[in-house]
PDB file of all heavy atoms in Angstrom:
ATOM      1  N   SER A 271     -13.709 -40.706  -1.743  1.00  0.00           N
ATOM      2  CA  SER A 271     -14.045 -39.279  -1.705  1.00  0.00           C
ATOM      3  C   SER A 271     -12.787 -38.420  -1.842  1.00  0.00           C
ATOM      4  O   SER A 271     -12.849 -37.290  -2.314  1.00  0.00           O
ATOM      5  CB  SER A 271     -14.767 -38.933  -0.397  1.00  0.00           C
ATOM      6  OG  SER A 271     -13.941 -39.226   0.720  1.00  0.00           O
ATOM      7  N   LYS A 272     -11.636 -38.971  -1.447  1.00  0.00           N
ATOM      8  CA  LYS A 272     -10.368 -38.258  -1.575  1.00  0.00           C
ATOM      9  C   LYS A 272      -9.298 -39.243  -2.030  1.00  0.00           C
ATOM     10  O   LYS A 272      -9.378 -40.438  -1.747  1.00  0.00           O
ATOM     11  CB  LYS A 272      -9.952 -37.607  -0.249  1.00  0.00           C
ATOM     12  CG  LYS A 272     -10.876 -36.467   0.182  1.00  0.00           C
ATOM     13  CD  LYS A 272     -10.368 -35.795   1.438  1.00  0.00           C
ATOM     14  CE  LYS A 272     -11.275 -34.645   1.879  1.00  0.00           C
ATOM     15  NZ  LYS A 272     -11.305 -33.550   0.904  1.00  0.00           N
ATOM     16  N   PHE A 273      -8.297 -38.717  -2.704  1.00  0.00           N
ATOM     17  CA  PHE A 273      -7.200 -39.572  -3.168  1.00  0.00           C
ATOM     18  C   PHE A 273      -5.893 -38.787  -3.074  1.00  0.00           C
ATOM     19  O   PHE A 273      -5.879 -37.556  -3.101  1.00  0.00           O
ATOM     20  CB  PHE A 273      -7.443 -40.051  -4.602  1.00  0.00           C
ATOM     21  CG  PHE A 273      -7.504 -38.941  -5.617  1.00  0.00           C
ATOM     22  CD1 PHE A 273      -6.396 -38.596  -6.372  1.00  0.00           C
ATOM     23  CD2 PHE A 273      -8.687 -38.224  -5.821  1.00  0.00           C
ATOM     24  CE1 PHE A 273      -6.456 -37.570  -7.307  1.00  0.00           C
ATOM     25  CE2 PHE A 273      -8.756 -37.207  -6.750  1.00  0.00           C
ATOM     26  CZ  PHE A 273      -7.640 -36.876  -7.504  1.00  0.00           C
ATOM     27  N   ASN A 274      -4.801 -39.478  -2.978  1.00  0.00           N
ATOM     28  CA  ASN A 274      -3.488 -38.881  -2.769  1.00  0.00           C
ATOM     29  C   ASN A 274      -2.663 -38.944  -4.052  1.00  0.00           C
ATOM     30  O   ASN A 274      -2.724 -39.917  -4.798  1.00  0.00           O
ATOM     31  CB  ASN A 274      -2.748 -39.621  -1.647  1.00  0.00           C
ATOM     32  CG  ASN A 274      -1.603 -38.804  -1.095  1.00  0.00           C
ATOM     33  OD1 ASN A 274      -1.779 -37.651  -0.749  1.00  0.00           O
ATOM     34  ND2 ASN A 274      -0.426 -39.402  -1.014  1.00  0.00           N
ATOM     35  N   VAL A 275      -1.899 -37.870  -4.311  1.00  0.00           N
ATOM     36  CA  VAL A 275      -0.988 -37.825  -5.453  1.00  0.00           C
ATOM     37  C   VAL A 275       0.401 -37.453  -4.943  1.00  0.00           C
ATOM     38  O   VAL A 275       0.538 -36.530  -4.138  1.00  0.00           O
ATOM     39  CB  VAL A 275      -1.444 -36.793  -6.507  1.00  0.00           C
ATOM     40  CG1 VAL A 275      -0.429 -36.709  -7.654  1.00  0.00           C
ATOM     41  CG2 VAL A 275      -2.810 -37.154  -7.059  1.00  0.00           C
ATOM     42  N   THR A 276       1.416 -38.170  -5.378  1.00  0.00           N
ATOM     43  CA  THR A 276       2.801 -37.853  -5.023  1.00  0.00           C
ATOM     44  C   THR A 276       3.556 -37.457  -6.281  1.00  0.00           C
ATOM     45  O   THR A 276       3.207 -37.873  -7.390  1.00  0.00           O
ATOM     46  CB  THR A 276       3.508 -39.060  -4.373  1.00  0.00           C
ATOM     47  OG1 THR A 276       3.490 -40.159  -5.289  1.00  0.00           O
ATOM     48  CG2 THR A 276       2.811 -39.460  -3.091  1.00  0.00           C
ATOM     49  N   GLY A 277       4.574 -36.621  -6.114  1.00  0.00           N
ATOM     50  CA  GLY A 277       5.332 -36.191  -7.286  1.00  0.00           C
ATOM     51  C   GLY A 277       6.670 -35.594  -6.915  1.00  0.00           C
ATOM     52  O   GLY A 277       6.968 -35.347  -5.737  1.00  0.00           O
ATOM     53  N   LYS A 278       7.486 -35.335  -7.940  1.00  0.00           N
ATOM     54  CA  LYS A 278       8.769 -34.677  -7.733  1.00  0.00           C
ATOM     55  C   LYS A 278       9.148 -33.930  -9.007  1.00  0.00           C
ATOM     56  O   LYS A 278       8.777 -34.325 -10.122  1.00  0.00           O
ATOM     57  CB  LYS A 278       9.859 -35.671  -7.356  1.00  0.00           C
ATOM     58  CG  LYS A 278      10.266 -36.632  -8.456  1.00  0.00           C
ATOM     59  CD  LYS A 278      11.422 -37.510  -8.001  1.00  0.00           C
ATOM     60  CE  LYS A 278      11.825 -38.522  -9.085  1.00  0.00           C
ATOM     61  NZ  LYS A 278      12.976 -39.353  -8.647  1.00  0.00           N
ATOM     62  N   VAL A 279       9.842 -32.822  -8.817  1.00  0.00           N
ATOM     63  CA  VAL A 279      10.365 -32.056  -9.952  1.00  0.00           C
ATOM     64  C   VAL A 279      11.816 -31.698  -9.658  1.00  0.00           C
ATOM     65  O   VAL A 279      12.220 -31.572  -8.496  1.00  0.00           O
ATOM     66  CB  VAL A 279       9.554 -30.764 -10.207  1.00  0.00           C
ATOM     67  CG1 VAL A 279       8.118 -31.070 -10.562  1.00  0.00           C
ATOM     68  CG2 VAL A 279       9.625 -29.824  -9.005  1.00  0.00           C
ATOM     69  N   LYS A 280      12.569 -31.534 -10.718  1.00  0.00           N
ATOM     70  CA  LYS A 280      13.957 -31.078 -10.613  1.00  0.00           C
ATOM     71  C   LYS A 280      14.129 -29.950 -11.609  1.00  0.00           C
ATOM     72  O   LYS A 280      13.835 -30.101 -12.797  1.00  0.00           O
ATOM     73  CB  LYS A 280      14.927 -32.218 -10.918  1.00  0.00           C
ATOM     74  CG  LYS A 280      16.395 -31.820 -10.769  1.00  0.00           C
ATOM     75  CD  LYS A 280      17.299 -33.008 -11.074  1.00  0.00           C
ATOM     76  CE  LYS A 280      18.770 -32.627 -10.928  1.00  0.00           C
ATOM     77  NZ  LYS A 280      19.655 -33.779 -11.251  1.00  0.00           N
ATOM     78  N   ILE A 281      14.590 -28.802 -11.107  1.00  0.00           N
ATOM     79  CA  ILE A 281      14.695 -27.604 -11.946  1.00  0.00           C
ATOM     80  C   ILE A 281      16.126 -27.085 -11.948  1.00  0.00           C
ATOM     81  O   ILE A 281      16.766 -26.985 -10.890  1.00  0.00           O
ATOM     82  CB  ILE A 281      13.732 -26.503 -11.455  1.00  0.00           C
ATOM     83  CG1 ILE A 281      12.281 -26.958 -11.650  1.00  0.00           C
ATOM     84  CG2 ILE A 281      13.962 -25.201 -12.204  1.00  0.00           C
ATOM     85  CD1 ILE A 281      11.259 -25.916 -11.287  1.00  0.00           C
ATOM     86  N   LEU A 282      16.604 -26.743 -13.153  1.00  0.00           N
ATOM     87  CA  LEU A 282      17.895 -26.082 -13.320  1.00  0.00           C
ATOM     88  C   LEU A 282      17.645 -24.603 -13.595  1.00  0.00           C
ATOM     89  O   LEU A 282      16.644 -24.234 -14.216  1.00  0.00           O
ATOM     90  CB  LEU A 282      18.672 -26.697 -14.490  1.00  0.00           C
ATOM     91  CG  LEU A 282      18.824 -28.223 -14.513  1.00  0.00           C
ATOM     92  CD1 LEU A 282      19.621 -28.639 -15.734  1.00  0.00           C
ATOM     93  CD2 LEU A 282      19.480 -28.719 -13.237  1.00  0.00           C
ATOM     94  N   ALA A 283      18.565 -23.750 -13.150  1.00  0.00           N
ATOM     95  CA  ALA A 283      18.417 -22.311 -13.378  1.00  0.00           C
ATOM     96  C   ALA A 283      19.777 -21.687 -13.629  1.00  0.00           C
ATOM     97  O   ALA A 283      20.805 -22.183 -13.145  1.00  0.00           O
ATOM     98  CB  ALA A 283      17.747 -21.634 -12.178  1.00  0.00           C
ATOM     99  N   MET A 284      19.771 -20.595 -14.403  1.00  0.00           N
ATOM    100  CA  MET A 284      20.995 -19.852 -14.683  1.00  0.00           C
ATOM    101  C   MET A 284      20.778 -18.406 -14.245  1.00  0.00           C
ATOM    102  O   MET A 284      19.800 -17.762 -14.642  1.00  0.00           O
ATOM    103  CB  MET A 284      21.324 -19.902 -16.169  1.00  0.00           C
ATOM    104  CG  MET A 284      22.738 -19.462 -16.503  1.00  0.00           C
ATOM    105  SD  MET A 284      23.981 -20.675 -16.002  1.00  0.00           S
ATOM    106  CE  MET A 284      23.638 -21.986 -17.159  1.00  0.00           C
ATOM    107  N   ALA A 285      21.680 -17.901 -13.402  1.00  0.00           N
ATOM    108  CA  ALA A 285      21.555 -16.544 -12.861  1.00  0.00           C
ATOM    109  C   ALA A 285      22.734 -15.686 -13.297  1.00  0.00           C
ATOM    110  O   ALA A 285      23.780 -16.199 -13.709  1.00  0.00           O
ATOM    111  CB  ALA A 285      21.480 -16.596 -11.339  1.00  0.00           C
ATOM    112  N   PHE A 286      22.561 -14.365 -13.198  1.00  0.00           N
ATOM    113  CA  PHE A 286      23.639 -13.436 -13.566  1.00  0.00           C
ATOM    114  C   PHE A 286      23.653 -12.264 -12.585  1.00  0.00           C
ATOM    115  O   PHE A 286      22.628 -11.957 -11.966  1.00  0.00           O
ATOM    116  CB  PHE A 286      23.440 -12.926 -15.001  1.00  0.00           C
ATOM    117  CG  PHE A 286      22.270 -12.006 -15.155  1.00  0.00           C
ATOM    118  CD1 PHE A 286      22.434 -10.624 -15.177  1.00  0.00           C
ATOM    119  CD2 PHE A 286      20.976 -12.508 -15.273  1.00  0.00           C
ATOM    120  CE1 PHE A 286      21.356  -9.774 -15.321  1.00  0.00           C
ATOM    121  CE2 PHE A 286      19.887 -11.667 -15.417  1.00  0.00           C
ATOM    122  CZ  PHE A 286      20.082 -10.297 -15.443  1.00  0.00           C
ATOM    123  N   PRO A 287      24.805 -11.582 -12.436  1.00  0.00           N
ATOM    124  CA  PRO A 287      24.899 -10.442 -11.508  1.00  0.00           C
ATOM    125  C   PRO A 287      24.273  -9.195 -12.132  1.00  0.00           C
ATOM    126  O   PRO A 287      24.811  -8.627 -13.082  1.00  0.00           O
ATOM    127  CB  PRO A 287      26.410 -10.278 -11.298  1.00  0.00           C
ATOM    128  CG  PRO A 287      27.018 -10.847 -12.548  1.00  0.00           C
ATOM    129  CD  PRO A 287      26.115 -11.929 -13.021  1.00  0.00           C
ATOM    130  N   LYS A 288      23.140  -8.768 -11.620  1.00  0.00           N
ATOM    131  CA  LYS A 288      22.379  -7.667 -12.218  1.00  0.00           C
ATOM    132  C   LYS A 288      23.133  -6.348 -12.188  1.00  0.00           C
ATOM    133  O   LYS A 288      23.084  -5.571 -13.152  1.00  0.00           O
ATOM    134  CB  LYS A 288      21.047  -7.514 -11.470  1.00  0.00           C
ATOM    135  CG  LYS A 288      20.097  -6.481 -12.070  1.00  0.00           C
ATOM    136  CD  LYS A 288      19.653  -6.870 -13.460  1.00  0.00           C
ATOM    137  CE  LYS A 288      18.438  -6.073 -13.931  1.00  0.00           C
ATOM    138  NZ  LYS A 288      18.591  -4.632 -13.853  1.00  0.00           N
ATOM    139  N   LYS A 289      23.849  -6.058 -11.106  1.00  0.00           N
ATOM    140  CA  LYS A 289      24.542  -4.773 -11.021  1.00  0.00           C
ATOM    141  C   LYS A 289      25.665  -4.700 -12.045  1.00  0.00           C
ATOM    142  O   LYS A 289      25.868  -3.663 -12.693  1.00  0.00           O
ATOM    143  CB  LYS A 289      25.093  -4.560  -9.615  1.00  0.00           C
ATOM    144  CG  LYS A 289      25.713  -3.168  -9.426  1.00  0.00           C
ATOM    145  CD  LYS A 289      26.202  -2.963  -8.012  1.00  0.00           C
ATOM    146  CE  LYS A 289      26.704  -1.529  -7.821  1.00  0.00           C
ATOM    147  NZ  LYS A 289      27.725  -1.148  -8.828  1.00  0.00           N
ATOM    148  N   VAL A 290      26.403  -5.790 -12.198  1.00  0.00           N
ATOM    149  CA  VAL A 290      27.469  -5.808 -13.197  1.00  0.00           C
ATOM    150  C   VAL A 290      26.870  -5.609 -14.589  1.00  0.00           C
ATOM    151  O   VAL A 290      27.408  -4.872 -15.420  1.00  0.00           O
ATOM    152  CB  VAL A 290      28.247  -7.141 -13.127  1.00  0.00           C
ATOM    153  CG1 VAL A 290      29.301  -7.212 -14.233  1.00  0.00           C
ATOM    154  CG2 VAL A 290      28.912  -7.294 -11.763  1.00  0.00           C
ATOM    155  N   PHE A 291      25.745  -6.264 -14.826  1.00  0.00           N
ATOM    156  CA  PHE A 291      25.036  -6.125 -16.100  1.00  0.00           C
ATOM    157  C   PHE A 291      24.635  -4.667 -16.335  1.00  0.00           C
ATOM    158  O   PHE A 291      24.858  -4.108 -17.414  1.00  0.00           O
ATOM    159  CB  PHE A 291      23.806  -7.034 -16.077  1.00  0.00           C
ATOM    160  CG  PHE A 291      22.976  -7.011 -17.317  1.00  0.00           C
ATOM    161  CD1 PHE A 291      23.278  -7.843 -18.393  1.00  0.00           C
ATOM    162  CD2 PHE A 291      21.882  -6.167 -17.433  1.00  0.00           C
ATOM    163  CE1 PHE A 291      22.506  -7.826 -19.547  1.00  0.00           C
ATOM    164  CE2 PHE A 291      21.112  -6.146 -18.571  1.00  0.00           C
ATOM    165  CZ  PHE A 291      21.426  -6.972 -19.637  1.00  0.00           C
ATOM    166  N   ASP A 292      24.031  -4.032 -15.325  1.00  0.00           N
ATOM    167  CA  ASP A 292      23.594  -2.634 -15.454  1.00  0.00           C
ATOM    168  C   ASP A 292      24.780  -1.692 -15.649  1.00  0.00           C
ATOM    169  O   ASP A 292      24.694  -0.708 -16.390  1.00  0.00           O
ATOM    170  CB  ASP A 292      22.793  -2.216 -14.229  1.00  0.00           C
ATOM    171  CG  ASP A 292      21.417  -2.872 -14.183  1.00  0.00           C
ATOM    172  OD1 ASP A 292      20.961  -3.347 -15.230  1.00  0.00           O
ATOM    173  OD2 ASP A 292      20.819  -2.928 -13.093  1.00  0.00           O
ATOM    174  N   ASP A 293      25.898  -1.980 -14.956  1.00  0.00           N
ATOM    175  CA  ASP A 293      27.092  -1.138 -15.110  1.00  0.00           C
ATOM    176  C   ASP A 293      27.616  -1.179 -16.543  1.00  0.00           C
ATOM    177  O   ASP A 293      28.039  -0.150 -17.098  1.00  0.00           O
ATOM    178  CB  ASP A 293      28.185  -1.582 -14.138  1.00  0.00           C
ATOM    179  CG  ASP A 293      27.856  -1.222 -12.695  1.00  0.00           C
ATOM    180  OD1 ASP A 293      26.953  -0.383 -12.494  1.00  0.00           O
ATOM    181  OD2 ASP A 293      28.486  -1.778 -11.775  1.00  0.00           O
ATOM    182  N   LEU A 294      27.598  -2.369 -17.151  1.00  0.00           N
ATOM    183  CA  LEU A 294      28.033  -2.481 -18.545  1.00  0.00           C
ATOM    184  C   LEU A 294      27.133  -1.657 -19.467  1.00  0.00           C
ATOM    185  O   LEU A 294      27.609  -0.965 -20.366  1.00  0.00           O
ATOM    186  CB  LEU A 294      28.019  -3.948 -18.979  1.00  0.00           C
ATOM    187  CG  LEU A 294      29.194  -4.819 -18.522  1.00  0.00           C
ATOM    188  CD1 LEU A 294      29.004  -6.251 -19.004  1.00  0.00           C
ATOM    189  CD2 LEU A 294      30.516  -4.264 -19.048  1.00  0.00           C
ATOM    190  N   LEU A 295      25.834  -1.742 -19.227  1.00  0.00           N
ATOM    191  CA  LEU A 295      24.905  -0.943 -20.029  1.00  0.00           C
ATOM    192  C   LEU A 295      25.138   0.547 -19.803  1.00  0.00           C
ATOM    193  O   LEU A 295      25.075   1.349 -20.745  1.00  0.00           O
ATOM    194  CB  LEU A 295      23.460  -1.305 -19.674  1.00  0.00           C
ATOM    195  CG  LEU A 295      22.964  -2.685 -20.096  1.00  0.00           C
ATOM    196  CD1 LEU A 295      21.523  -2.880 -19.634  1.00  0.00           C
ATOM    197  CD2 LEU A 295      23.049  -2.866 -21.601  1.00  0.00           C
ATOM    198  N   GLY A 296      25.414   0.928 -18.547  1.00  0.00           N
ATOM    199  CA  GLY A 296      25.669   2.328 -18.243  1.00  0.00           C
ATOM    200  C   GLY A 296      26.908   2.855 -18.945  1.00  0.00           C
ATOM    201  O   GLY A 296      26.913   3.984 -19.463  1.00  0.00           O
TER     202      GLY A 296
END
Side-chain angles (χ1 to χ4, degrees):
S271 60
K272 293 184 180 296
F273 63 97
N274 198 51
V275 177
T276 59
K278 68 176 178 179
V279 298
K280 182 179 180 181
I281 294 184
L282 309 180
M284 194 72 69
F286 70 99
K288 185 64 165 54
K289 186 178 185 306
V290 176
F291 180 86
D292 289 341
D293 288 344
L294 282 178
L295 290 179

